[in-house]
Amino acid sequence: MTTTAQPSQPGGKTLNPVLAGARPMRGDAARNRARVLDAAHAAFAEDGAEVQMEQIARRAGVGVGTLYRNFPTKQALIAELAQRWADERIEIADQALAMPDPAEAFGWFVRRTAQDMAGDAGLCHLFSGLGGAACEMPDLLIERTEVLLERARRAGAIRPDLNVSDFQAILGGLSAAIAQTDKWELFAEMLITGLRAPAPPCP
Amino acid sequence: MTTTAQPSQPGGKTLNPVLAGARPMRGDAARNRARVLDAAHAAFAEDGAEVQMEQIARRAGVGVGTLYRNFPTKQALIAELAQRWADERIEIADQALAMPDPAEAFGWFVRRTAQDMAGDAGLCHLFSGLGGAACEMPDLLIERTEVLLERARRAGAIRPDLNVSDFQAILGGLSAAIAQTDKWELFAEMLITGLRAPAPPCP
DNA sequence: TTCGAAGTGGAAGTCGAATTCCGCTTCCGC
DNA sequence: GCGGAAGCGGAATTCGACTTCCACTTCGAA
């Protein structure tokens, strides 16, 4: 590795992939990297975070060596997967923010997130069993969520005493619940109801 | 071990403690067993499920050997702790069942459970990181919960489409959320609201 | 087609945690 | 107060991941 050294920096990030810095990856290598990522995704979904690196490698049809060439650490692999999920989530948040009605947008976001969690047991496991992992929510996502929340709050659509970090914790809980039963629609509905500002008394 | 053999049965349970089968434990041994249990409890609360057996032993002021004499396996130790929690929960459920108003009883149970979770980070971790562990909910607890739910359901206090296993999953989610922030009151309130049967339209 | 850099597989090494073992110590019934 | 069964501590072992290493391919630019 004579290229731009990427020795285990404290932060640990795997720097970009396919065309890092200057010299691009060899075609086959890029392909392998992708297969590994997919395999890891599937493996986590099936067996939770305790899958072994070797299983992932086998699943991807490569040797562990190859796996480690792309991701210096199991953590790094997980982080990459988490990053992808986060990016996707940011996109979803943006779509929600594009909706005119704040309350509707918020509900849609929650529902959609629940649905995505149900469809991706792997990440679901990672998120609920979080705390540990390198699964720091990227600031960008937090920020978007904050906006989404604030809009809903202003519109009086959700309880005023709900801040982002609480909401984040709640999403963690949601993923844990969904990891146990896939009743995401029920859970989403409950959540939305529970987060709603207490209804004014009937006239 | 010439006594009633308790070789690793498939199920794995550590059979009773202090006065198992016939010959009772020696006084000091019983005392040590208790200390280990307490230490483990505290340790899990502080550091989550990844505490090492040796740390627990040190904390209890005994050697690992002693620890293993009482609990053949880390799993067994965890299971014992879980069992205690479950027993406590059963008691709480019974108290709730003794309350005249079903809706109130249900709310009280949820609130109380959330509070207990917040006060016992260890079990909280275990429950949220569940799935894995030997933390099978004992049938007795499930049964009590079922009754509690059914009563509330009949009284029209909760949504009719909520069964025990969903509720169990929800409690799992709750513990995960509480493990992240200790806003148990907020979460309990939300949950209770969310589980309530949709209010009839205002007259 | 050739050649060297890039990439590969998987055996071997490492390392941290669980679990075992056993000589020594402490109870406790007589 | 004795004897020996029960219990104890903690060093040593086992075990199961993760990671490293390197001889051997494969790619792709000239």
Side-chain angles (χ1 to χ4, degrees):
Chain A
M1 192 171 293
T2 20
T3 67
T4 12
Q6 68 175 99
S8 50
Q9 309 149 295
K13 289 274 184 97
T14 316
L15 55 84
N16 184 292
V18 188
L19 29 91
R23 51 224 85 186
M25 256 178 149
R26 230 165 68 176
D28 57 338
R31 222 168 303 128
N32 273 339
R33 185 189 161 88
R35 295 170 73 189
V36 165
L37 232 22
D38 286 347
H41 189 265
F44 281 128
E46 224 163 85
D47 310 319
E50 30 351 305
V51 257
Q52 287 151 233
M53 293 300 259
E54 202 182 324
Q55 288 181 51
I56 295 177
R58 187 163 25 246
R59 191 161 191 148
V62 305
V64 273
T66 301
L67 196 160
Y68 275 94
R69 156 168 297 271
N70 286 289
F71 307 94
T73 278
K74 190 179 187 180
Q75 266 314 305
L77 177 56
I78 292 180
E80 176 85 26
L81 248 21
Q83 185 55 234
R84 287 180 151 200
W85 164 270
D87 289 345
E88 200 180 305
R89 219 93 303 278
I90 290 174
E91 215 167 288
I92 301 292
D94 282 338
Q95 284 183 45
L97 285 171
M99 298 171 73
D101 179 22
E104 195 189 333
F106 178 76
W108 180 81
F109 180 75
V110 170
R111 223 171 271 119
R112 174 64 190 262
T113 298
Q115 179 176 22
D116 289 351
M117 282 174 171
D120 196 337
L123 274 304
C124 205
H125 283 150
L126 293 185
F127 271 74
S128 54
L130 89 172
C135 300
E136 278 298 324
M137 292 287 171
D139 289 345
L140 193 56
L141 177 52
I142 301 284
E143 184 196 301
R144 293 302 155 85
T145 313
E146 170 78 75
V147 178
L148 200 57
L149 233 49
E150 177 59 18
R151 270 212 326 167
R153 202 182 292 129
R154 262 186 223 277
I158 60 171
R159 19 190 332 154
D161 59 346
L162 182 75
N163 65 39
V164 212
S165 68
D166 294 342
F167 183 63
Q168 220 62 39
I170 290 172
L171 289 186
L174 178 62
S175 77
I178 291 180
Q180 287 185 66
T181 6
D182 54 359
K183 297 277 190 65
W184 65 269
E185 291 181 274
L186 172 62
F187 295 155
E189 236 39 65
M190 275 182 29
L191 242 187
I192 292 169
T193 307
L195 294 177
R196 200 160 9 229
C202 296
Chain B
M1 191 171 293
T2 22
T3 68
T4 13
Q6 67 176 101
S8 50
Q9 308 150 296
K13 289 271 183 98
T14 316
L15 54 84
N16 183 294
V18 189
L19 27 91
R23 50 227 84 186
M25 258 179 148
R26 231 166 67 176
D28 57 338
R31 221 168 303 128
N32 274 339
R33 185 189 162 87
R35 294 171 73 190
V36 166
L37 233 20
D38 286 346
H41 188 266
F44 282 127
E46 222 163 86
D47 311 318
E50 39 337 315
V51 256
Q52 288 151 235
M53 292 302 258
E54 202 182 322
Q55 289 181 50
I56 295 178
R58 184 160 30 244
R59 191 161 192 148
V62 304
V64 274
T66 300
L67 197 161
Y68 275 95
R69 158 170 298 272
N70 286 289
F71 305 94
T73 278
K74 190 178 187 181
Q75 265 315 303
L77 177 55
I78 292 180
E80 176 86 24
L81 247 21
Q83 185 55 234
R84 287 179 150 201
W85 164 269
D87 289 345
E88 200 180 307
R89 221 91 303 279
I90 290 174
E91 215 166 287
I92 301 290
D94 281 338
Q95 284 184 45
L97 285 172
M99 299 172 73
D101 178 24
E104 194 189 333
F106 179 76
W108 180 81
F109 180 74
V110 170
R111 225 171 270 118
R112 174 64 189 263
T113 299
Q115 180 176 21
D116 290 351
M117 282 174 171
D120 195 336
L123 274 304
C124 203
H125 283 151
L126 293 184
F127 271 73
S128 55
L130 85 172
C135 300
E136 278 298 326
M137 293 286 170
D139 290 345
L140 194 55
L141 177 52
I142 300 284
E143 185 196 300
R144 293 302 155 83
T145 313
E146 170 77 75
V147 177
L148 199 57
L149 232 50
E150 177 59 20
R151 271 212 325 166
R153 202 182 291 128
R154 262 185 223 275
I158 60 170
R159 21 192 327 157
D161 60 344
L162 181 76
N163 64 40
V164 212
S165 68
D166 294 342
F167 183 62
Q168 219 63 38
I170 289 172
L171 290 186
L174 179 62
S175 77
I178 291 179
Q180 286 184 66
T181 5
D182 54 359
K183 297 278 191 67
W184 64 270
E185 291 182 276
L186 173 61
F187 295 155
E189 237 39 65
M190 275 182 30
L191 242 188
I192 294 169
T193 308
L195 294 177
R196 198 154 18 224
C202 297

